[in-house]
Amino acid sequence: PPWWRSNVAYVAYWLAFFGFLYVITVGRTKRLVHRARELEQGIAQRTAQLKQKADTIEALLADKERLFSNISHEFRTPLTLLLNPIQLWLDRTRDGQERDSLAMMKRNALQLLHLVEQMLSLSKLSMAHTEKRQRYFLSEVLNPLVAAFKTLLDHKQLKLTVAPYRD
C-alpha cells in the first residue's frame, strides 16, 4: 500500500488529530481561565465600589437621623415652654371668645408638639424598620382638625361638622 495508507500513517493521522484537539482544548481552557480571572477581578472591584457606596449611604442616613433628632429637640423645647403660659392664661380667663382662642392655641401647640414627638420617634427608629400597626379612629383625627379651623369658619360664617356615615 502507499505510505499514506499504511498503519504508521493512520497512527500519525490519529496522533495529529488528537494533538490538534489537545491544542484547541488547552488554548480554550487558558482563555477561559484568563476570562474567569478578569471577571473575578471585576466582581471584586464592583463589590468594593458597592461597599463604599453602602458605607456612604449609611453615613448619610446617620446624619439625617441626627438632624431629625436635633431639629425635633429644638422645636420641642420652645413648644413645651409655650404650653404652660397658655394653660395659665386659659385658667385665668373668663371671657368665652378669648377662652376659645386660647383653647385653639393650646390644641394647635399640642398638635405641633405631637408632630415633633413623631419626628423624634422617627429619628430613633433603627434600620430594622420594625413595623408597628396602630388603629386610628377617624373622629379622633378629624375633630381636632375641625376645631383648629373653628375661628376661621366662625369669621367667615361657615359651618363644618363631622358626622359618622350611617346606612
Side-chain angles (χ1 to χ4, degrees), residues 26-153:
V26 167
R28 179 152 172 82
T29 303
K30 284 183 179 181
R31 281 194 312 272
L32 288 174
V33 167
H34 179 70
R35 179 69 178 145
R37 284 187 186 135
E38 287 177 348
L39 289 174
E40 286 175 359
Q41 288 174 349
I43 289 171
Q45 288 174 347
R46 184 68 180 146
T47 302
Q49 290 172 349
L50 289 174
K51 179 160 177 22
Q52 183 181 15
K53 286 181 181 179
D55 292 343
T56 302
I57 289 171
E58 285 180 21
L60 289 172
L61 286 174
D63 288 346
K64 181 191 83 165
E65 187 175 316
R66 275 193 303 277
L67 177 68
F68 269 143
S69 180
N70 290 341
I71 288 174
S72 298
H73 282 292
E74 291 299 322
F75 278 122
R76 190 167 114 190
T77 303
L79 279 172
T80 305
L81 293 174
L82 280 173
L83 281 170
N84 191 33
I86 290 174
Q87 182 62 47
L88 291 174
W89 194 4
L90 188 60
D91 291 341
R92 287 189 310 227
T93 303
R94 300 290 175 231
D95 180 25
Q97 188 175 4
E98 191 174 344
R99 285 186 63 77
D100 289 345
S101 296
L102 287 170
M104 182 190 63
M105 287 170 57
K106 182 180 176 183
R107 267 194 315 274
N108 289 336
L110 285 172
Q111 286 176 346
L112 193 54
L113 185 61
H114 178 70
L115 290 174
V116 168
E117 293 291 338
Q118 286 180 338
M119 279 181 55
L120 196 55
S121 296
L122 179 66
S123 72
K124 291 179 182 176
L125 283 179
S126 66
M127 297 305 270
H129 295 296
T130 55
E131 189 172 317
K132 181 180 176 184
R133 292 183 176 253
Q134 287 183 319
R135 177 175 283 190
Y136 291 98
F137 294 100
L138 197 54
S139 62
E140 291 178 5
V141 175
L142 290 178
N143 287 335
L145 287 174
V146 170
F149 288 96
K150 184 181 182 322
T151 306
L152 181 63
L153 292 169

